[in-house]
Amino acid sequence: MSPGLALVTGGSGFLGSALVKKMIAEGWGVRVLDDYSRGRPRRLVDIADDIELIEGDVRNYETVYRATKDVDVMVHLAYVNGTELFYQKPQMVLEVGVKGALNTLEAAVSRGIKHYWTMSSSEVYQRASAVPTPEEVCLVVPDVMNPRYSYGGGKIITELLAINYGRAFFDSVVIVRPHNVYGADMGFEHVIPQLLMRATLLDESAEQSQPLSFAIRGDGSQTRSFVFIDDFIEGCYLAFMKGTDYSIYHVGTTDVVSVKELALKIMSLFGRRGVVMPSKTPSGETDRRCPAIDKAMALGYSPQVSLSEGLHKTKQWYMENRALWPTLDESFIHSATHGLKAKLA
């Protein structure tokens, strides 16, 4: 389809802002709806003159409806991310997820918008029955009593709503399932920035001759496939533009790394040897995660940035923007990456 006017909910988030910039570069008009509870306006400063910004909450239908005026494509990304919040505020995670999906869908139907694009998550699989995981593997909520699954459960509901509303009202629905995206300004709660900050503090406090030593979540054998933000956005945009109607695409890489290896790689960025200490694995943690990306590759997707190169670029941003770091307790340096006492400034 040709570029038109897109409404991007959550457009100041890590993924949202990168997608907005890509769409602007491709000739789209973009309107962003965000309440900035998780997003950051600074991510859009360099394109502020090229977009329309509306501050508002996707849980409010009237706000969403007003934002959809003259829109050609609904791009719904607004959601609550961050493992801490899955455990601490599951009701909010579900409220934003379910109401956000319903409100954007209902507003799109009312306005006669015919294209709906949205982001899901690799969390819809939890412990996938096949790794690498194709899009057809069953989606699972293993235990409704575990608050962690508020996130994955909400994403499953979003997918169900999008596909079934789509069949009735839209010309196309495309769902992208991101798999462990990382990069500059991705926030401070995720594993890579957490490890980068802790390695920085350890590097400054420990003798150069000593290896850096700190805990990780679990025993470090858990594996992930991390995709750099630039690669992810290229794949995401391809899926949205070229994806078949009512389709789902994984966007990520098939390069696998263990959490222990990731921690050692990050310490090596500082020219330091590392020693990793295991800790208790939180209930609901996934052992392995790696997407099959054949469908996206058939559209022309081909990730280019290696983990080493991407980590170097990510470290550079966090070092250059240390003034934005949260205030950290002393226990943060040696603690595991879950349950940290870190408060955003």
Side-chain angles (χ1 to χ4, degrees):
M1 63 182 296
S2 300
L5 176 62
L7 173 66
V8 181
T9 69
S12 72
F14 173 51
L15 302 184
S17 59
L19 180 60
V20 167
K21 291 175 183 179
K22 173 66 175 178
M23 295 181 76
I24 291 294
E26 295 291 339
W28 285 84
V30 176
R31 181 180 297 150
V32 170
L33 174 63
D34 205 312
D35 67 355
Y36 306 125
S37 60
R38 301 285 292 166
R40 296 291 179 264
R42 66 170 180 264
R43 295 185 176 121
L44 299 173
V45 167
D46 55 340
I47 56 167
D49 293 338
D50 301 316
I51 61 176
E52 180 184 353
L53 287 169
I54 298 176
E55 186 172 354
D57 192 329
V58 291
R59 291 175 291 183
N60 184 297
Y61 175 76
E62 293 301 323
T63 297
V64 177
Y65 180 76
R66 288 194 299 270
T68 55
K69 183 180 180 180
D70 299 324
V71 164
D72 300 299
V73 179
M74 174 69 77
V75 188
H76 179 45
L77 276 66
Y79 212 87
V80 176
N81 199 355
T83 306
E84 296 291 317
L85 292 172
F86 304 166
Y87 289 98
Q88 295 174 2
K89 297 185 177 181
Q91 77 288 349
M92 182 181 71
V93 173
L94 283 164
E95 183 185 13
V96 173
V98 177
K99 284 186 177 179
L102 278 170
N103 286 342
T104 54
L105 287 162
E106 292 283 3
V109 171
S110 296
R111 292 287 196 187
I113 298 169
K114 293 300 182 182
H115 304 279
Y116 189 91
W117 302 342
T118 191
M119 294 269 195
S120 184
S121 171
S122 57
E123 293 275 343
V124 296
Y125 300 112
Q126 304 308 328
R127 294 172 181 253
S129 58
V131 180
T133 306
E135 288 86 349
E136 296 76 21
V137 166
C138 289
L139 314 187
V140 177
V141 176
D143 179 6
V144 295
M145 301 301 290
N146 189 329
R148 180 193 173 90
Y149 301 129
S150 57
Y151 181 81
K155 289 294 189 182
I156 292 173
I157 294 169
T158 297
E159 291 195 22
L160 283 167
L161 288 168
I163 292 296
N164 288 288
Y165 267 72
R167 291 193 184 106
F169 301 109
F170 304 145
D171 291 340
S172 69
V173 170
V174 180
I175 298 169
V176 166
R177 291 178 185 154
H179 281 252
N180 292 101
V181 189
Y182 72 100
D185 202 5
M186 68 179 293
F188 299 94
E189 303 91 351
H190 303 284
V191 62
I192 286 177
Q194 292 267 319
L195 291 173
L196 280 170
M197 290 188 294
R198 290 165 63 209
T200 301
L201 298 175
L202 277 170
D203 181 50
E204 294 172 350
S205 63
E207 295 291 336
Q208 286 294 318
S209 59
Q210 297 177 345
L212 305 184
S213 175
F214 58 83
I216 57 173
R217 185 170 62 196
D219 64 6
S221 64
Q222 312 97 305
T223 59
R224 298 290 184 268
S225 299
F226 292 94
V227 60
F228 190 62
I229 183 65
D230 294 357
D231 283 336
F232 171 77
I233 291 301
E234 289 298 320
C236 180
Y237 187 74
L238 275 171
F240 285 155
M241 291 297 291
K242 295 184 177 182
T244 57
D245 298 344
Y246 318 115
S247 54
I248 300 168
Y249 293 89
H250 286 166
V251 179
T253 72
T254 55
D255 297 330
V256 175
V257 64
S258 71
V259 173
K260 179 178 179 179
E261 291 169 336
L262 175 67
L264 295 176
K265 276 181 175 289
I266 286 175
M267 285 186 274
S268 72
L269 293 174
F270 295 83
R272 303 293 294 260
R273 293 177 296 120
V275 175
V276 173
M277 299 179 294
S279 65
K280 183 179 179 180
T281 301
S283 174
E285 180 76 5
T286 301
D287 293 332
R288 298 191 299 158
R289 184 177 294 146
C290 176
I293 57 174
D294 306 70
K295 284 179 67 176
M297 292 182 70
L299 302 178
Y301 173 58
S302 178
Q304 301 295 311
V305 181
S306 69
L307 180 59
S308 294
E309 180 184 357
L311 288 176
H312 175 75
K313 291 180 177 181
T314 305
K315 177 201 171 189
Q316 187 174 18
W317 186 90
Y318 280 90
M319 296 304 101
E320 292 173 353
N321 291 275
R322 192 159 174 177
L324 299 176
W325 285 22
T327 302
L328 307 170
D329 288 353
E330 290 184 10
S331 60
F332 173 85
I333 298 178
H334 295 282
S335 63
T337 57
H338 178 68
L340 298 174
K341 296 178 180 178
K343 298 180 180 180
L344 292 177

